[in-house]
């Protein structure tokens, strides 16, 4: 998660602390009474909601970190297997150029390609490599099996293919819990925000215009412009499957 997003979330907790302090001061001015909103919502409820929101924000940060680590691991493995695509194409052109196999060389997937395209391309390369090793009918002058630099074989590629598939699966597994955590966080904040608006109205109704309590009433930002921006994580996905 970007440092700016963590700071934005921190500012919203600070804003809640500002309201909590103001509510405390308002209650002191109303003693022995206190300011209570509809449904019996009091200062203690806002304090509890603030603590719950802090936990929800931390949960989003933690799950976002898991998700980004999964993406980095997948990207690392995809870069490794992309090198094998290039080597495989070079080997086929070197040893089997002009044969039926040259036109069948699969295109190397791009980092921005969706996971499905990576799966298809890797399976196509593996199938072609297996077919080449069967060498039926035989290609004159070629002795299977086809291997790449360092004796890299189709079996080693199969293992690397499996690792990439698992890494791509891990990204998907990390994405859904992140979405759920974000929804829970947003729902909590929406409820708190409604109470903060209600609190401001209550203070304006209870205190005279020149009251220090009214003059110190905390402001709220436009929820459509500032709240979502403050709570969202801005990490543009390099891969369409990375959209959280």
């Amino acid at each position: 998660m970007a440092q700016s997003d963590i700071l934005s979330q921190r500012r919203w907790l600070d804003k809640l602390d500002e309201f909590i302090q103001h509510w405390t001061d308002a209650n002191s001015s109303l003693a022995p009474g206190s300011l209570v909103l509809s449904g019996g919502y009091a200062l203690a409820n806002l304090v509890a909601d603030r603590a719950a929101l802090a936990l929800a924000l931390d949960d989003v940060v933690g799950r976002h970190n898991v998700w980004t680590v999964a993406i980095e691991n997948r990207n690392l493995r995809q870069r490794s297997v992309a090198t094998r695509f290039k080597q495989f194409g070079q080997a086929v052109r070197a040893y089997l150029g002009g044969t039926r196999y040259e036109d069948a060389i699969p295109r190397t997937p791009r980092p921005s390609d969706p996971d499905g395209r990576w799966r298809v391309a890797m399976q196509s390369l593996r199938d072609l490599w297996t077919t080449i090793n069967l060498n039926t009918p035989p290609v004159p002058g070629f002795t299977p099996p086809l291997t790449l630099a360092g004796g890299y074989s189709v079996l080693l590629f199969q293992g690397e293919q499996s690792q990439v598939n698992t890494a791509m699966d891990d990204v998907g597994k990390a994405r859904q819990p992140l979405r759920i955590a974000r929804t829970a966080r947003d729902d909590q904040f929406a409820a708190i925000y409604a109470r903060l608006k209600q609190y401001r109205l209550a203070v304006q109704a209870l205190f005279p215009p020149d009251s220090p309590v009214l003059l110190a009433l905390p402001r709220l930002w436009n929820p459509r412009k500032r709240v979502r921006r403050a709570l969202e994580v801005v990490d543009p996905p390099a891969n369409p499957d990375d959209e959280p």
Side-chain angles (χ1 to χ4, degrees):
M1 176 179 288
Q3 184 69 20
S4 60
D5 300 306
I6 296 175
L7 292 175
S8 294
Q9 295 186 10
R10 179 68 250 177
R11 281 195 292 269
W12 272 101
L13 293 179
D14 290 343
K15 174 60 69 172
L16 290 180
D17 290 338
E18 186 180 350
F19 269 87
I20 288 170
Q21 182 58 55
H22 188 274
W23 201 328
T24 300
D25 295 340
N27 283 350
S28 295
S29 297
L30 295 172
S34 63
L35 194 159
V36 179
L37 304 180
S38 62
Y41 192 92
L43 173 59
N45 298 103
L46 181 60
V47 172
D49 285 347
R50 190 266 188 210
L53 180 63
L55 292 176
L57 293 173
D58 288 343
D59 189 39
V60 170
V61 171
R63 294 185 185 281
H64 183 268
N65 289 340
V66 171
W67 177 63
T68 53
V69 167
I71 288 175
E72 288 302 316
N73 180 57
R74 181 209 58 195
N75 292 348
L76 179 65
R77 295 192 180 281
Q78 285 181 341
R79 285 194 295 270
S80 176
V81 84
T83 300
R84 303 305 181 182
F85 271 85
K86 181 179 180 180
Q87 292 176 337
F88 177 80
Q90 292 169 336
V92 171
R93 294 184 182 94
Y95 304 118
L96 297 161
T99 69
R100 58 189 180 275
Y101 301 122
E102 186 172 6
D103 290 338
I105 298 172
R107 180 185 67 83
T108 303
R110 294 185 296 269
S112 59
D113 283 343
D115 292 349
R117 193 166 296 170
W118 277 88
R119 296 180 195 275
V120 170
M122 289 188 298
Q123 189 60 46
S124 296
L125 188 150
R126 176 180 165 185
D127 290 344
L128 178 59
W129 199 337
T130 300
T131 300
I132 288 173
N133 285 348
L134 291 175
N135 198 30
T136 305
V139 174
F142 172 68
T143 302
L146 179 69
T147 58
L148 308 182
Y152 188 90
S153 67
V154 67
L155 288 178
L156 293 176
F157 178 81
Q158 180 179 343
E160 199 164 359
Q161 175 191 10
S162 177
Q163 292 175 345
V164 174
N165 285 335
T166 297
M168 291 188 295
D169 290 341
D170 288 343
V171 173
K173 291 176 182 177
R175 184 188 304 115
Q176 187 59 25
L178 174 58
R179 287 174 174 169
I180 293 172
R182 282 180 172 169
T183 298
R185 174 205 63 191
D186 292 348
D187 290 346
Q188 287 179 253
F189 185 83
I192 293 173
Y193 189 84
R195 288 298 189 179
L196 297 183
K197 289 176 61 179
Q198 187 181 11
Y199 173 79
R200 281 178 50 83
L201 292 173
V203 170
Q204 293 173 67
L206 286 172
F207 292 90
D210 59 349
S211 166
V213 173
L214 181 57
L215 295 176
L217 183 61
R219 299 182 61 185
L220 273 180
W221 294 309
N222 185 328
R224 290 184 176 274
K225 295 181 179 179
R226 299 293 295 275
V227 175
R228 291 290 302 188
R229 187 179 304 167
L231 292 177
E232 274 307 309
V233 175
V234 183
D235 282 323
N239 179 315
D241 289 326
D242 293 347
E243 186 65 42

